[in-house]
Amino acid sequence: MALKDSYLLPAAADMHVHLRNAPGPIAELVTPTIRKAGIDTVFVMPNLAPRPVVTVDEALEYKKALQAYDPEVNYLMSLYLHESITPDEIRKAKKAGIAGVKAYPRGATTNSQWGVVSFDPFHAVLSTMEAEGLVLNLHGEMPSSPSENITVMNAESKFLPTLTSLHSKYPNLKIVLEHCTSADAVAAVRACGPNVVATITAHHLSLLVDDWSANVHHYCKPSAKSPEDRRALLQALVTSEGKFFLGTDSAPHDISSKKGKGNTAAGVFTQPYALGYVLTALEEGIARGDIREEAVTEEVLAGFFSEFGRRFYEVESAEKKILVKRDGAVVEESLKTDKVEIVPFRSGEKTWSVEWQ
């Protein structure tokens, strides 16, 4: 076997999750799966519908609703970068413990219709975030545009000059390029200073664009890309040194939204088995020669799964440990109640189990 049969690691932190509206049937079903995955801290996305989370009061109300489902999870809350947000709301957010503000280019992904067309009108807000130490979280894609030759395959690369420009204009602003998927994105993040980092998902470490386009439960934004891009993500993980850490972008949708009439909803549900998916992807990468076996150490895994994300968000180190064991679990065919059914990534396959110590 390429990897050890088990790893004793600090409790994980997932710095990009979608839990949906709370109270609500999807949040009720998926929120209890966070700790099942060996995760005790999550950064929660604000792109709810019919209204995103744009005020501190809304974020705190949302947090309280999630705590009702599992009070043992540390929920790091965020605001949606919206024209209604003011510098005073940013200062209030910092005092209230809000962890970040998420920017969605308008039209780029799920519930981004209220998003950013240009960052220029947000200068006062971004300057205040820089002064207060509040993180800017970027969905790093340009909206598809045939006239500008932008498709899902190059939308991330086309966005990277915006990342570079923001970092140049606000050098002390902490920025996360969320769910990076390309070799170009990895290189761009590495070229920026220490205030710029990126999250990597579990599924993008495995999927290629062919897999992405062939299975509705693999369909997501940003898209999976080429073997070269996947290799770059795996190499970024094992050589992270704090620049890259786990953000699953786990995005649950009811099966009717994935297989019903109309367009397929974008999102891969990975929450309950996130760490196992990453370990499987690393083994597959070793087998292909994308990374070296000796590059995957307990120290590397602890950093990527837990320590690097906590450090960037200034969250205390994990107090508890988890034991991750090979082939100790089987991914359900689906998770369901009488109101909703969600199909997880790699359903029906063996995966790594997690035991809290």
Side-chain angles (χ1 to χ4, degrees), residues 11-257:
D14 184 350
M15 295 311 191
H16 187 128
V17 305
H18 295 272
L19 301 175
R20 308 306 184 200
N21 293 53
I26 293 181
E28 183 178 10
L29 179 60
V30 305
T31 304
T33 70
I34 294 170
R35 282 181 48 80
K36 178 179 180 179
I39 294 164
D40 70 0
T41 298
V42 291
F43 183 86
V44 183
M45 292 296 115
N47 58 330
L48 306 183
R51 175 183 168 84
V53 180
V54 297
T55 71
V56 173
D57 291 345
E58 288 171 345
L60 296 179
E61 183 179 354
Y62 185 25
K63 181 177 182 177
K64 185 176 180 180
L66 294 172
Q67 288 172 327
Y69 295 133
D70 189 343
E72 294 189 64
V73 175
N74 180 21
Y75 303 96
L76 305 178
M77 307 308 293
S78 63
L79 302 181
Y80 189 112
L81 187 60
H82 184 266
E83 60 189 11
S84 65
I85 289 183
T86 64
D88 283 344
E89 195 70 13
I90 294 299
R91 296 184 190 99
K92 182 179 177 181
K94 181 64 176 180
K95 290 179 181 177
I98 303 303
V101 179
K102 180 71 181 288
Y104 294 88
R106 186 171 298 179
T109 189
T110 304
N111 297 337
S112 62
Q113 61 267 39
W114 307 284
V116 174
V117 176
S118 166
F119 283 94
D120 291 343
F122 295 98
H123 172 67
V125 167
L126 295 172
S127 295
T128 306
M129 289 174 61
E130 184 179 32
E132 294 289 334
L134 205 61
V135 175
L136 175 65
N137 306 86
L138 296 174
H139 180 106
E141 289 188 293
M142 299 297 290
S144 292
S145 172
S147 64
E148 298 178 66
N149 194 34
I150 300 175
T151 71
V152 293
M153 289 302 290
N154 65 3
E156 183 173 83
S157 295
K158 294 284 189 179
F159 181 85
L160 295 175
T162 301
L163 169 68
T164 303
S165 174
L166 286 168
H167 181 45
S168 177
K169 193 170 185 179
Y170 309 99
N172 295 316
L173 178 62
K174 298 178 76 171
I175 298 175
V176 181
L177 181 65
E178 299 289 350
H179 43 52
C180 72
T181 63
S182 63
D184 287 347
V186 170
V189 170
R190 288 201 185 280
C192 291
N195 285 333
V196 177
V197 298
T199 56
I200 298 176
T201 78
H203 53 283
H204 285 113
L205 291 168
S206 293
L207 296 176
L208 297 177
V209 64
D210 291 16
D211 311 308
W212 173 86
S213 64
N215 186 329
V216 293
H217 301 297
H218 294 167
Y219 178 73
C220 58
K221 293 286 188 74
S223 69
K225 295 186 172 65
S226 72
E228 178 185 12
D229 293 311
R230 181 178 62 185
R231 184 182 310 116
L233 297 181
L234 289 163
Q235 291 175 350
L237 189 165
V238 298
T239 61
S240 168
E241 297 181 344
K243 271 288 190 179
F244 303 91
F245 48 80
L246 179 67
T248 63
D249 192 21
S250 178
H253 291 282
D254 182 69
I255 194 169
S256 63
S257 297

Side-chain angles (χ1 to χ4, degrees), residues 253-269:
H253 291 282
D254 182 69
I255 194 169
S256 63
S257 297
K258 298 295 279 184
K259 287 193 170 184
K261 294 180 180 179
N263 292 339
T264 296
V268 178
F269 179 55

